[in-house]
Amino acid sequence: MRKRTLTATTALAVLFSSAALAAAPAFADTTRPLPVRQTGDIVVDGAHQQVFISDPLNGKIVVTDWSGNVVKQLTTNLSGVSGLELSPDSGTLYAAVQDLDAIAVIDTATDTETTRYTVGDKPLSVALAGGKLWFGYGGAAEGDIGNVDLTSEQHEVTLGQDGDWYAAPLLDAAPGSDVLVAGAIGQSPVELASYDVSSGSATKLASTREAGSNLGDLQVTPDGKDVVVASGAPYYQQVFRTSDLNEDGKYVTDAYPNSVAIAPDGTVAAGIDGSYEPDVYVFRPGSGEAVRTYDFPNTGHTSGSDLLADSGLAWTPDGSRLFAVSYNSDGVYSLRVLTAPTKAVTTITVNAPATATRTKALTVKGTAASKVALPAGTRLSVTRTDLESPKGKSLASVTTKADGTFSFTDAPPAGGKVKYTVAFAGDADHAAGSGSDSVDVSRAKPTLTVNNDGKVYSYGKDVRFTAHLGKTYKNRTVEIWADPFGSDKPNKLVKSGKVNSDGNLSVILDLKRDTKVTAKFAGDSRYKSASASSTVGAKVSLSTSVGNHYKSKYTWGHTYYFFHKTKNPLVTTKMSYYPGRKHKLEFEVYYQGRWYPSDPAYFKLGPDGVSRVQITGNHAEDVGWRFRIRSSYINASSGDSVNSTTHGPWKYLTFTR
């Protein structure tokens, strides 16, 4: 079973690493994937800053650094490897290899195996106590406890220390202790026993069957006084005295406890197998209320969050990090590095008014709260972020009252969205925390216009558009956007720049479609953003010609085309093309001083924008009459709405014999 110890040999290394951490910037929780199919145990090597995780199914031990990055995988003859234990100087790792009935001995400086002890059947766990290496072993109905004498040259193996166990028990002991604790995995109720091993043999001190059901983990406190047990039920981590196994308290978590890890200073990390509750609870020594909790995210494909693995927690010797092994619904395992786990979370709420007037005083209130109460007079920093100070401007700090509340006043010099952030830097007992709220501060409305609204121009006309911006504070930049009608032409920025001394910015556009021209002003710290639009029309390019006549002559006030009665006039219309576009053709006859229309017709343009229409009929009946004809584009009626209505010129014709 693992130990999380600070020994005399590693004290200097921990001292220097702690000093370095104190001088470095704060670090955040991280998560790294693990190349495992299952996990059996986890231990932390403080001397070399590495973590060992056993994988029984793959038969290997994964080695990571303190950031959770995999640096090595030990895979040689480790089938069924489960329980792990570090020597007091962190120089040696002992690993119980179930399928090979052995305990592997690994040099942690090189992460290589140096020797192997052949022990009893299926060793499950290992623990150091009374100067010997103890192990729980045995299959169904054959559970027992044995030891390896590490002080002798032969490293003798002794079996049969307590054969009353149904299967191999889980073992643990406090650093340097002569008391060994064992627990039965998979039993209900759980059997728990303690032993005096000072003589080199295991002498039972006490036993109990009050340790719940479905044991997931157990750990002896660093002083050896208690053992903390994580069983599926009851829904808290039980505490028993090692001397007599009478109950000695509890750490309240939630349903299905499955892990426990105790730091050298006695801080308890208690974990559960829960999909919808916090997964890890951190308790200070002797405290019944968690100072901090961790709720894993959901990285799988079910509604519940990732789960904590059994026996999946371990501390660094200095307590600055807590390692947690988790897995998701897809069977993907991860190592979570939880930083500053002994510090209580600090929550800061900030309440600013919804609206305020620029340069007028407003009051911001809030509360700084934590499970470990912050003392009155706790100093909080205040930062104002606005259009004048987009990176934030520090204001005078504020202190909390006895109930954690605080307030301050400010007269915001800039309008728009103003955010107030209140932050606590953290201390030895509390993690840093911050909160913010925003207020909408008033700004003046600027004047912005664009000329030419409602005008209609000929096809291809170059038109000057001028945006005029009135008084503002600092920003004098205007954007001009042109949005031609039709879904195939996007709205486009055609000019951006500062207005001149008259407040004007102009651009010339070649108009070939109806177009919406919009000027935009982004605003500044004293004036709101604004936009103004002008929609103008653009006619189509349109020409009409007449063919098949035998002469043309100016008469009756117009140029007339003369046709023999045997010829059909050919009317050719050319128009700027748009998909699906048609032109309107009107035909009128002159009688007694006025023109009379016939029913108009629409004709589709070809892809080249050309339409040819013959005027058919019995033209012998038309001899002597005067006619006129014209083509037009009618917005909407001609099949689209991207141009303004455009009429071509009338063409006059008559028939002769």
Side-chain angles (χ1 to χ4, degrees):
M1 191 63 186
R2 62 197 179 285
K3 305 294 184 299
R4 300 84 169 174
T5 61
L6 179 62
T7 66
T9 307
T10 61
L12 284 177
V14 171
L15 174 63
F16 287 120
S17 66
S18 297
L21 288 171
F27 44 86
D29 296 346
T30 59
T31 303
R32 298 288 186 270
L34 287 173
V36 301
R37 294 168 56 201
Q38 185 186 40
T39 57
D41 203 358
I42 174 174
V43 295
V44 178
D45 172 10
H48 305 100
Q49 293 198 353
Q50 56 189 349
V51 181
F52 298 96
I53 302 164
S54 62
D55 176 2
L57 284 182
N58 281 328
K60 65 181 178 181
I61 297 174
V62 175
V63 187
T64 78
D65 60 21
W66 278 19
S67 296
N69 301 303
V70 175
V71 296
K72 190 175 290 186
Q73 298 186 55
L74 313 181
T75 59
T76 305
N77 295 325
L78 294 174
S79 178
V81 63
S82 183
L84 304 175
E85 173 73 314
L86 275 174
S87 62
D89 62 358
S90 293
T92 303
L93 175 70
Y94 301 99
V97 187
Q98 296 183 77
D99 296 346
L100 302 178
D101 303 336
I103 295 175
V105 182
I106 297 167
D107 182 350
T108 58
T110 61
D111 292 332
T112 57
E113 185 174 340
T114 59
T115 189
R116 183 168 293 206
Y117 307 132
T118 300
V119 297
D121 182 44
K122 298 185 183 303
L124 173 70
S125 62
V126 283
L128 290 165
K132 294 188 176 183
L133 177 66
W134 297 83
F135 55 89
Y137 70 97
E142 295 181 347
D144 212 324
I145 296 175
N147 66 50
V148 180
D149 188 350
L150 300 177
T151 61
S152 71
E153 292 184 3
Q154 290 74 28
H155 291 173
E156 293 90 355
V157 175
T158 302
L159 303 177
Q161 295 290 297
D162 185 358
D164 291 338
W165 296 93
Y166 177 77
L170 195 62
L171 305 182
D172 194 35
S177 171
D178 291 330
V179 176
L180 180 71
V181 176
I185 292 180
Q187 286 186 357
S188 183
V190 173
E191 182 179 359
L192 198 66
S194 61
Y195 303 88
D196 180 355
V197 296
S198 59
S199 66
S201 299
T203 301
K204 186 175 289 185
L205 296 174
S207 64
T208 182
R209 287 184 176 270
E210 300 297 325
S213 60
N214 299 317
L215 178 67
D217 200 4
L218 60 81
Q219 173 127 30
V220 177
T221 56
D223 59 8
K225 175 177 174 290
D226 292 312
V227 59
V228 182
V229 176
S231 298
Y235 296 163
Y236 53 84
Q237 270 74 351
Q238 296 173 280
V239 182
F240 298 91
R241 286 197 299 268
T242 56
S243 58
D244 55 17
L245 294 183
N246 287 327
E247 291 193 35
D248 197 26
K250 60 184 176 182
Y251 293 100
V252 178
T253 52
D254 214 307
Y256 314 126
N258 70 341
S259 298
V260 59
I262 307 176
D265 67 355
T267 301
V268 174
I272 68 167
D273 180 12
S275 298
Y276 303 100
E277 303 82 20
D279 301 275
V280 179
Y281 303 72
V282 179
F283 299 86
R284 291 182 174 171
S287 173
E289 183 179 1
V291 69
R292 188 162 190 172
T293 61
Y294 291 89
D295 194 2
F296 298 156
N298 180 8
T299 64
H301 294 88
T302 61
S303 60
S305 67
D306 291 7
L307 299 175
L308 177 69
D310 288 357
S311 300
L313 296 173
W315 291 91
T316 55
D318 63 357
S320 64
R321 289 174 171 89
L322 176 64
F323 297 95
V325 177
S326 66
Y327 62 94
N328 65 18
S329 59
D330 299 325
V332 177
Y333 281 76
S334 299
L335 180 61
R336 300 183 181 277
V337 185
L338 311 177
T339 61
T342 61
K343 293 186 177 184
V345 173
T346 304
T347 302
I348 298 180
T349 57
V350 181
N351 293 300
T355 60
T357 302
R358 190 180 68 82
T359 72
K360 301 296 183 181
L362 58 83
T363 300
V364 178
K365 300 179 180 180
T367 304
S370 175
K371 288 188 176 181
V372 178
L374 292 162
T378 296
R379 188 171 297 278
L380 308 175
S381 65
V382 180
T383 303
R384 182 184 65 220
T385 305
D386 55 27
L387 292 172
E388 287 287 303
S389 305
K391 294 183 178 180
K393 178 180 176 62
S394 295
L395 305 181
S397 59
V398 63
T399 57
T400 60
K401 298 179 180 178
D403 60 357
T405 60
F406 61 85
S407 66
F408 61 89
T409 59
D410 184 50
K417 182 180 180 181
V418 178
K419 182 172 74 172
Y420 292 96
T421 301
V422 181
F424 172 58
D427 57 24
D429 296 321
H430 304 86
S434 66
S436 63
D437 195 16
S438 297
V439 54
D440 187 7
V441 178
S442 64
R443 289 184 290 174
K445 182 179 180 180
T447 299
L448 183 64
T449 59
V450 182
N451 66 337
N452 297 330
D453 186 43
K455 295 180 180 180
V456 178
Y457 298 92
S458 60
Y459 181 84
K461 175 72 173 179
D462 289 339
V463 179
R464 178 182 293 274
F465 290 87
T466 299
H468 176 76
L469 178 66
K471 180 181 178 182
T472 60
Y473 177 47
K474 289 184 177 180
N475 184 13
R476 299 296 291 165
T477 298
V478 170
E479 293 180 349
I480 299 179
W481 292 72
D483 188 8
F485 281 31
S487 59
D488 59 325
K489 296 287 186 180
N491 191 19
K492 183 179 179 180
L493 176 65
V494 292
K495 191 167 186 178
S496 176
K498 291 185 177 181
V499 298
N500 61 20
S501 58
D502 294 325
N504 296 329
L505 180 71
S506 298
V507 65
I508 295 176
L509 300 180
D510 179 20
L511 293 181
K512 293 182 178 179
R513 294 190 186 182
D514 294 352
T515 301
K516 181 178 181 181
V517 178
T518 302
K520 297 181 180 180
F521 170 64
D524 56 30
S525 62
R526 298 186 183 180
Y527 285 82
K528 296 179 181 179
S529 61
S531 66
S533 297
S534 171
T535 300
V536 297
K539 295 182 178 182
V540 298
S541 173
L542 174 60
S543 67
T544 307
S545 62
V546 177
N548 293 337
H549 55 285
Y550 68 89
K551 72 172 182 177
S552 62
K553 176 182 177 182
Y554 186 83
T555 183
W556 301 306
H558 299 283
T559 297
Y560 273 78
Y561 296 90
F562 288 79
F563 293 85
H564 293 299
K565 64 181 180 178
T566 57
K567 288 287 187 178
N568 292 325
L570 177 64
V571 180
T572 300
T573 302
K574 294 183 179 180
M575 187 182 295
S576 46
Y577 180 73
Y578 188 82
R581 178 167 287 181
K582 301 172 292 184
H583 71 92
K584 181 182 180 182
L585 192 63
E586 298 174 90
F587 193 79
E588 296 184 352
V589 60
Y590 187 79
Y591 177 68
Q592 293 185 349
R594 57 178 294 189
W595 290 98
Y596 290 89
S598 63
D599 292 334
Y602 282 85
F603 297 91
K604 189 174 182 179
L605 296 171
D608 58 355
V610 176
S611 166
R612 293 177 176 86
V613 179
Q614 277 194 346
I615 309 299
T616 61
N618 184 3
H619 298 311
E621 298 178 354
D622 299 328
V623 172
W625 293 88
R626 285 188 275 164
F627 302 93
R628 67 178 182 179
I629 193 169
R630 73 173 178 181
S631 293
S632 301
Y633 166 84
I634 308 299
N635 184 281
S637 298
S638 286
D640 63 79
S641 299
V642 303
N643 285 96
S644 295
T645 295
T646 309
H647 297 289
W650 288 104
K651 297 295 182 177
Y652 297 85
L653 53 102
T654 187
F655 293 88
T656 64
R657 296 185 184 277

